[in-house]
Amino acid sequence: MTATGLTPVEIAALHRRAGEAARNSYSPYSHFRVGAAVLLLADERQDGEIVAGTNVENASYRLTSCAEQAAIAAAVTLYGPGIRIRAVAVVNLNGATCMPCGACRQTLIEFADDEAAVFYPSAKGETVSTTLGALLPAGFRLKAE
């Protein structure tokens, strides 16, 4: 186990699935190819599944969908609105720093606890490991936990 509570195998699988998703990116304008993978908490409907998504751009940039939100939408589609996210990995094929944006952090917090692990590449190409709570302190929650 690592400090995140995930095994090295789980972390590697998250990164692999996010990388695979990034290769399917629809990014004809920015050419910034991003993939994300979420590891779901095991429950009676699924057993720690990894669900991935990629960014989908639009000529009207504001309508672009982020990879993290695509992964979450896919997970909800597959397993229903009660999903809980244990961890998320974000990768890009451009060798750039790529942490979840503010909108994605807020979307993640809807389905994850502050302790959920977040992995993303640094400017030096190293993997940063942090928590959702560290990325979004005092995140907005409408429903009680």
Side-chain angles (χ1 to χ4, degrees):
M1 288 286 181
T2 64
T4 62
L6 279 75
T7 67
V9 170
E10 289 172 317
I11 295 169
L14 271 172
H15 281 90
R16 181 181 50 77
R17 293 288 303 277
E20 290 169 354
R23 287 191 284 281
N24 288 330
S25 168
Y26 178 75
S27 49
Y29 308 106
S30 72
H31 307 287
F32 194 70
R33 301 167 65 195
V34 182
V38 294
L39 173 63
L40 303 178
L41 285 169
D43 69 12
E44 66 280 352
R45 295 192 59 208
Q46 48 81 36
D47 185 23
E49 297 295 325
I50 294 175
V51 182
T54 190
N55 60 319
V56 178
E57 290 184 349
N58 189 286
S60 174
Y61 277 162
R62 188 165 182 241
L63 299 178
T64 294
S65 299
C66 295
E68 298 90 330
Q69 292 183 20
I72 292 167
V76 171
T77 300
L78 289 170
Y79 300 108
I83 65 156
R84 299 300 299 160
I85 295 171
R86 182 175 173 204
V88 59
V90 181
V91 303
N92 69 82
L93 303 182
N94 301 75
T97 300
C98 189
M99 66 180 68
C101 72
C104 287
R105 294 174 197 192
Q106 184 60 49
T107 303
L108 284 162
I109 212 157
E110 191 76 15
F111 297 98
D113 298 326
D114 288 346
E115 299 79 29
V118 180
F119 303 97
Y120 63 89
S122 73
K124 297 178 182 177
E126 301 164 342
T127 298
V128 175
S129 173
T130 189
T131 64
L132 183 55
L135 287 178
L136 187 63
F140 177 77
R141 288 186 171 93
L142 186 58
K143 59 185 177 186
E145 290 187 18

